[in-house]
Amino acid sequence: MDLTGELLIAMPGIGDPRFEHSLILLCSHEDDGAMGLIVNKPAAGVDLSNLLEQLDITPRSAEEAALPVRFGGPVETQRGFVLHSPEYKSNVSSLRVADAFSMTATVDVLEDIAMGRGPEQVMVMLGYAGWGPGQLETEIANNGWLTAPATPELVFGLDDLTKWEAALRSLGVDPLTLSTSAGHA
């Protein structure tokens, strides 16, 4: 089962407050583990201008530096990732996640964003969510996550507060009907 490019929707009662109501785009899912970025949680008190200043990058205008930064996950929270539309390709390295998504984790993407040459659709994150071999599959089997197709509208087009519910509704699930306890037949 390869869920690369799919969304993980946190189920109520997931048991980890960092993932409550999280929507995660899986950037890599292989036998040796999985890596994803939470696409609906802002990083408290941080915007792109803060990161650019730390990296000594001067933006062309305040508009380029006004992007919010999101909490990508609890692993390596000082490390930056940029989830973006696939027309942008870093001069160093971009990972194609799916037809509609790419990810770049090198400074050149931030320099390009600051100069107005960045991706059309973009999300800047600090940290990521990671799972060891078989861990994600076990969490899915234990009713911790639902999976859904990822679309640019769900990831880039909606307000962070509505993404989780919209992802559930894309599966035909009413969030009000979800239980915090799992059952197995």
Side-chain angles (χ1 to χ4, degrees):
M1 159 172 72
D2 181 4
L3 297 174
T4 301
E6 297 285 314
L7 290 172
L8 292 178
I9 307 167
M11 292 292 287
I14 193 165
D16 186 334
R18 298 172 299 181
F19 292 113
E20 286 294 320
H21 291 103
S22 285
L23 187 62
I24 298 175
L25 180 71
L26 279 176
C27 298
S28 175
H29 185 219
E30 299 174 355
D31 290 341
D32 61 348
M35 179 270 185
L37 296 169
I38 300 173
V39 298
N40 66 331
K41 300 217 179 221
V46 182
D47 65 20
L48 185 57
S49 66
N50 303 120
L51 297 181
L52 295 177
E53 185 177 316
Q54 288 178 12
L55 296 168
D56 289 326
I57 299 171
T58 303
R60 181 177 69 172
S61 71
E63 183 178 293
E64 273 82 21
L67 285 174
V69 174
R70 289 179 173 80
F71 171 70
V75 181
E76 294 188 50
T77 56
Q78 297 303 311
R79 186 170 174 198
F81 298 88
V82 178
L83 182 65
H84 56 85
S85 48
E87 87 290 342
Y88 175 85
K89 299 210 180 354
S90 162
N91 290 329
V92 179
S93 176
S94 288
L95 171 70
R96 187 174 178 97
V97 174
D99 287 345
F101 305 100
S102 291
M103 180 188 66
T104 302
T106 52
V107 174
D108 63 320
V109 68
L110 296 177
E111 292 169 341
D112 286 345
I113 291 168
M115 293 299 113
R117 301 184 305 254
E120 290 174 23
Q121 296 177 302
V122 62
M123 297 176 89
V124 178
M125 275 90 157
L126 289 174
Y128 67 94
W131 295 265
Q135 182 182 1
L136 179 58
E137 294 81 358
T138 300
E139 290 180 14
I140 291 171
N142 289 333
N143 204 39
W145 303 97
L146 289 176
T147 61
T151 66
E153 175 64 20
L154 274 173
V155 173
F156 296 117
L158 299 177
D159 179 82
D160 288 344
L161 296 175
T162 62
K163 288 179 185 181
W164 181 80
E165 185 174 312
L168 285 169
R169 292 194 186 283
S170 78
L171 297 173
V173 175
D174 182 344
L176 297 176
T177 64
L178 292 176
S179 171
T180 59
S181 59
H184 298 282

